[in-house]
Amino acid sequence: MPDVDVDVDVVVVGAGPAGSAAAMVLARAGRSVLLVERGPFPGSKNMYGGVVYPRILDKLLPGWWEEAPIQRWVVRRATMLATETQALTVDYRTQAWAAPPYNGATAYRPDFDAWLASKAEADGAQLLCFTTVTGLLRDVSGAVTGVRTDRPDGDIRARLVIACDGVNAFLAKEAGLAGPTDPSHYTLGVKETLALPKHVIDERFGVRGREGVDIEMVGCTGGIPGGGFLYTNLETVSIGVVLKLPALAAQSRRPEDVIAGVKAHPAIAPLVDGGELKEYSAHLIPEAGWSMIPELAGDGILVAGDAAGLCLAAGIWLEGVNYAIASGMLAAEAAVHALSRSDTSAEGLAGYRRRLEEVFVLRDHRKLRRVPSLVLGDRVQRQYPTLACNVVERLFRVDNPDPKPGLARIARDEVRRAGVRVRDLAADAWAAARSFG
């Protein structure tokens, strides 16, 4: 471990995407910054792979795609409504996403996070690994003045702390910015990484070279509110589920049993057949969106990334890394401004929230604030996949010698069969229109 300068302008806690982006901006502004990571290297505590949307890096790291450690560029995005035996999929593909500036990519988070942290180091940030922040330092007025660690040399003093310590948000809670944990605000993401030869993945998913596929699923979790996913990497696929925490705890099945059900689904089984299990991992995801965002600034402290609940789980949009990077960058900009004025009070740091409101970070969360409860509701999870699949099945089914029924009649019949009340269907349609429209 390197020698530590115990008096720095800013301590950034957590070397994930939010923390590394914050450290990069601070270092470039000439501020002394210490980036503290509890793992042996940045990304070591993160899940193996997933989809990232790194376009937010365009200005911070121009041409990032030439060196970022990505697996595949996503050129196909599919959303699947599933029952036990049916699947209705909206499958979109575009070659525009196969060339710069790209749209999304699959990546192994240990690789991606370590690369991003190395960029902060190159700009002058000091990275300190194998170090767990155990609490906050405060002055007599209660303002945050640094952090306590588990290192033998102990405390690290700083003019400002940026808490990017992940979904549990320990520092935000200690600072009084976040309330007690509400389990209903979280899901558990559980994933298996399965090895398959590259040519097999290419053939099964209809891609070539570095092209990749992202499939999101609803209705595949056996009645537990949540969803499923399947991503292609170069020589592995990532398959898993996201399960609402209280509902998971209220029943007896284990998450790996739910994943086994997804892998056995007739629409998925041919894609993952023969895959060799390489890794099983799980982590909490802040899914409540707008309703769980804490106070973002206090005296001597800012909160960013998952610690701020900035993860967008809105049905057709499942994004987190881009919101983390953006919040880290904007927290650093607010910090630079506050430090230049020697005012790191909550009032002096209030520009952070204003910055978030001016860009996509809080605009998206506010606009889509109704979506998490809608998507995780019983009708979207259970009734609508059955309804949609049955409507399409009847539409395509040939029932000679009976004449073909009209679509309106099919829809009326299946709405009745699914037990969906028209007023509930209308209310959900209105909520979706207000959110996505």
Side-chain angles (χ1 to χ4, degrees):
M1 293 183 289
D3 294 333
V4 180
D5 183 359
V6 297
D7 290 302
V8 294
D9 289 327
V10 184
V11 170
V12 180
V13 182
S20 293
M24 207 178 306
V25 171
L26 287 161
R28 290 181 183 181
R31 294 294 175 178
S32 57
V33 53
L34 182 63
L35 180 59
V36 181
E37 168 57 39
R38 68 188 176 100
F41 61 89
S44 62
K45 299 294 184 181
N46 287 322
M47 294 178 70
Y48 198 36
V51 176
V52 297
Y53 297 92
R55 288 293 308 282
I56 186 64
L57 293 174
D58 286 356
K59 291 184 178 179
L60 190 64
L61 294 169
W64 54 266
W65 53 81
E66 296 177 357
E67 57 177 303
I70 67 95
Q71 289 288 301
R72 291 179 183 255
W73 303 109
V74 174
V75 298
R76 281 183 57 202
R77 283 204 58 184
T79 299
M80 178 187 296
L81 300 179
T83 69
E84 288 187 4
T85 60
Q86 301 163 296
L88 172 62
T89 305
V90 177
D91 192 337
Y92 176 73
R93 178 171 188 152
T94 174
Q95 289 307 109
W97 293 350
Y102 301 104
N103 180 62
T106 58
Y108 294 152
R109 284 290 303 277
D111 295 341
F112 185 84
D113 289 10
W115 168 76
L116 201 59
S118 73
K119 293 300 180 182
E121 281 192 282
D123 286 328
Q126 188 178 6
L127 175 63
L128 182 64
C129 296
F130 287 108
T131 303
T132 299
V133 170
T134 59
L136 297 170
L137 300 176
R138 298 175 184 268
D139 63 17
V140 292
S141 70
V144 174
T145 58
V147 296
R148 292 189 174 89
T149 77
D150 63 350
R151 288 173 58 94
D153 43 355
D155 300 345
I156 302 171
R157 297 186 301 275
R159 298 172 66 189
L160 179 65
V161 172
I162 301 181
C164 306
D165 53 333
V167 64
N168 290 306
F170 293 121
L171 297 184
K173 291 173 184 174
E174 184 178 340
L177 301 178
T181 298
D182 182 348
S184 67
H185 287 172
Y186 299 87
T187 57
L188 181 69
V190 187
K191 184 184 65 183
E192 293 181 0
T193 301
L194 308 177
L196 287 168
K198 182 181 184 299
H199 73 274
V200 172
I201 295 174
D202 290 350
E203 291 172 2
R204 290 181 180 180
F205 290 87
V207 290
R208 295 292 183 267
R210 300 293 287 277
E211 297 172 347
V213 179
D214 168 7
I215 302 174
E216 311 288 348
M217 302 165 245
V218 175
C220 62
T221 50
I224 305 172
F229 57 85
L230 175 60
Y231 310 136
T232 59
N233 304 306
L234 272 177
E235 296 182 322
T236 64
V237 295
S238 299
I239 185 166
V241 291
V242 176
L243 305 170
K244 194 162 186 179
L245 214 51
L248 176 62
Q251 52 83 63
S252 59
R253 279 172 300 162
R254 293 183 57 82
E256 58 265 35
D257 298 326
V258 182
I259 295 179
V262 175
K263 292 194 294 185
H265 192 280
I268 301 299
L271 300 176
V272 299
D273 183 46
E276 179 186 357
L277 180 62
K278 289 295 186 181
E279 184 180 75
Y280 177 86
S281 54
H283 74 152
L284 287 178
I285 303 172
E287 288 246 7
W290 182 259
S291 65
M292 72 176 298
I293 296 175
E295 293 294 324
L296 298 172
D299 293 336
I301 185 170
L302 294 170
V303 187
D306 276 2
L310 297 174
C311 178
L312 190 71
I316 60 176
W317 293 300
L318 302 170
E319 303 171 25
V321 171
N322 49 339
Y323 289 90
I325 292 173
S327 63
M329 292 167 58
L330 296 174
E333 290 178 6
V336 169
H337 178 73
L339 290 168
S340 69
R341 300 176 61 190
S342 298
D343 182 5
T344 57
S345 67
E347 183 177 351
L349 295 168
Y352 173 43
R353 188 177 183 98
R354 288 196 297 270
R355 285 172 166 84
L356 293 174
E357 289 173 342
E358 290 170 355
V359 298
F360 70 98
V361 179
L362 287 186
R363 285 188 178 184
D364 288 351
H365 280 79
R366 182 185 290 109
K367 177 179 174 59
L368 298 166
R369 62 189 180 276
R370 303 177 187 87
V371 176
S373 60
L374 174 66
V375 170
L376 292 174
D378 189 66
R379 290 189 293 276
V380 170
Q381 289 289 315
R382 299 192 186 194
Q383 293 176 300
Y384 292 163
T386 299
L387 170 60
C389 287
N390 285 344
V391 166
V392 173
E393 180 171 312
R394 285 189 60 188
L395 186 65
F396 290 157
R397 192 175 68 206
V398 177
D399 289 328
N400 300 153
D402 293 335
K404 296 186 184 300
L407 179 58
R409 176 185 165 186
I410 292 174
R412 285 195 302 269
D413 290 348
E414 294 305 326
V415 165
R416 196 159 40 245
R417 277 183 60 193
V420 178
R421 295 183 298 185
V422 174
R423 66 172 177 268
D424 290 335
L425 185 62
D428 291 342
W430 175 240
R434 292 174 68 187
S435 300
F436 297 117

